[in-house]
Amino acid sequence: TLIPGLVGMHDHLFYTAAGGRAVQMGYTGPRLYLGSGVTTIRTTGSRSPYAEINLKDAIDHGFAPGPRIHITAPYITGTQGGGAMAVIASPDAARRFVAYWGAEGATWIKAYTDIRRSELGAAIQEAHKRGMKVTGHLCSVSFQEAVGLGIDNLEHGMLTASDFDASKKQDACPMTLMTSVGAADPNGSVAQQTIRTMVQKGVPMTSTLAVYEPFVANRATKDERTLNAMDPEVRAAYLKQRQQIDSSGTGWVPLTAFKSAMAFDRAFVAAGGTLAAGVDPTGIGGALAGFGDQRNYELFIEAGFTPAQGVQIMSANGAKILGVAQTLGTVEAGKLADLVVLQGDLTADPSVIRSPTIVFKDGVGYDAAKLIASVQGRVGVN
């Protein structure tokens, strides 16, 4: 089977794992993405932005194998946040942040959970003035509020949409969000209004089902590739965490919420929305760069999408959102030769997505198996 190169729209170049480990994937990330058929990524939030800018330059000049990289600035969040993120406490601070990172080469801004409407609105305005775009993993600002502010993309789908929590107060993230989402109807009136608001304004959504699945009890995929690629200490910590989640019975993300997220993705597309996908290799570390992108395809099939829809979501739609659909994202004469050759019939077996033989980027063929072999036992180290 031949498909376009995948476009990962939430594909960080850092990795977080069970036990609190967090590392920059300067070596393993690019090889896992490219070897898995992901030829273009948007980083969608950075912890080490200059490492990623330099890596992009090395890949662009042919010094290292890896996907085409669209750089996102460090996260911006509100005063309840912090850590490695930029805490933005005023609209002026938001504008300064966007101006600085735009000058450094970032083309996207990523807003996070505790951002307030005033700062998010200022960031969006400044970004648009500079030809940049803004996406968000939101909570304190609802999806509908963010659309009203002019946001360009929304991350994670239903599981971060605080529109579903009736207890939400303005500029505050409700602690009951996951419970509310788990009990919400993905086709109900709130869902329909949220989807209608997004579709009318042409705001796309990024699905990241693969990163949530390891938090659902008894949903761990039987993918030995993931375990083999992990550093031994990371593997042990992950398996211990998985055992705790499975033994809890309900998991940390309820199965009802996970299934609702699938249904919301499907309803969004049915209403005319543009859905893209990405792995988000964070959480407890069960969704690896590249492998998690592939898992998203399998989950889309489980959610009720056709094989053609699944491929479109993971390639052409991402290219459209990035503004590069004229040059890549589909198999057409005149476009860049970003292509993935899979061993098997993808229309008959969704697991064929895990079997790239050759991955072409810019017409250059890479041996997928050798790229994957080069990272064995190193994920969680570098």
Side-chain angles (χ1 to χ4, degrees), residues 3-8 11 30 32-42 59-60 65-70 290 293 314-315 319 322 328-330 336-341 358-366 371:
I3 62 172
L6 303 181
V7 179
D11 285 13
L32 276 170
Y33 283 128
L34 190 60
S36 299
V38 183
T39 54
T40 299
I41 64 170
R42 182 186 65 183
I59 292 172
D60 288 349
R68 190 176 294 100
I69 299 173
H70 290 252
D293 294 274
M314 297 182 65
S315 55
L322 291 174
L328 55 89
T330 56
L336 294 177
D338 281 14
L339 306 166
V340 184
V341 182
I358 303 174
V359 178
F360 291 93
K361 189 190 109 182
D362 286 330
V364 176
Y366 294 84
L371 284 170

Side-chain angles (χ1 to χ4, degrees), residues 297-362:
Y297 174 82
E298 296 173 319
L299 293 171
F300 286 141
I301 301 304
E302 181 182 335
F305 290 105
T306 67
Q309 286 177 313
V311 172
Q312 180 182 356
I313 289 166
M314 297 182 65
S315 55
N317 288 3
K320 177 181 177 182
I321 296 167
L322 291 174
V324 294
Q326 294 300 312
T327 57
L328 55 89
T330 56
V331 181
E332 294 183 68
K335 289 193 174 183
L336 294 177
D338 281 14
L339 306 166
V340 184
V341 182
L342 300 168
Q343 182 64 44
D345 182 356
L346 187 62
T347 63
D349 179 4
S351 70
V352 167
I353 196 71
R354 304 184 187 190
S355 305
T357 56
I358 303 174
V359 178
F360 291 93
K361 189 190 109 182
D362 286 330

Side-chain angles (χ1 to χ4, degrees), residues 75-81 85-97 114-120 122-123 171:
Y75 296 74
I76 56 172
T77 189
T79 54
Q80 299 301 311
M85 301 183 188
V87 175
I88 303 296
S90 71
D92 281 345
R95 286 187 281 268
R96 289 195 303 272
F97 178 93
D114 294 305
I115 194 82
R116 298 185 304 188
R117 290 166 300 151
S118 55
E119 284 74 39
L120 178 59
D171 291 329

Side-chain angles (χ1 to χ4, degrees), residues 193-372:
Q193 180 58 48
T194 302
I195 289 172
R196 185 160 50 247
T197 299
M198 296 170 67
V199 172
Q200 286 176 349
K201 293 294 186 179
V203 177
M205 186 169 73
T206 307
S207 177
T208 59
L209 293 171
V211 76
Y212 286 106
E213 187 179 30
F215 291 95
V216 183
N218 302 306
R219 284 283 310 198
T221 61
K222 295 178 180 179
D223 187 354
E224 291 298 321
R225 302 175 309 160
T226 293
L227 298 178
N228 292 338
M230 290 177 176
D231 168 76
E233 290 184 1
V234 170
R235 183 188 312 127
Y238 171 69
L239 291 173
K240 180 180 179 180
Q241 198 91 83
R242 280 293 322 163
Q243 185 178 31
Q244 292 173 352
I245 291 169
D246 289 344
S247 63
S248 72
T250 57
W252 298 356
V253 172
L255 179 61
T256 54
F258 188 67
K259 292 289 189 178
S260 290
M262 287 181 165
F264 187 76
D265 284 356
R266 196 169 62 247
F268 179 68
V269 172
T274 300
L275 186 68
V279 53
D280 191 6
T282 56
I284 61 171
L288 266 56
F291 293 169
D293 294 274
Q294 294 171 344
R295 181 60 182 160
N296 277 332
Y297 174 82
E298 296 173 319
L299 293 171
F300 286 141
I301 301 304
E302 181 182 335
F305 290 105
T306 67
Q309 286 177 313
V311 172
Q312 180 182 356
I313 289 166
M314 297 182 65
S315 55
N317 288 3
K320 177 181 177 182
I321 296 167
L322 291 174
V324 294
Q326 294 300 312
T327 57
L328 55 89
T330 56
V331 181
E332 294 183 68
K335 289 193 174 183
L336 294 177
D338 281 14
L339 306 166
V340 184
V341 182
L342 300 168
Q343 182 64 44
D345 182 356
L346 187 62
T347 63
D349 179 4
S351 70
V352 167
I353 196 71
R354 304 184 187 190
S355 305
T357 56
I358 303 174
V359 178
F360 291 93
K361 189 190 109 182
D362 286 330
V364 176
Y366 294 84
D367 187 315
K370 288 184 178 180
L371 284 170
I372 300 303

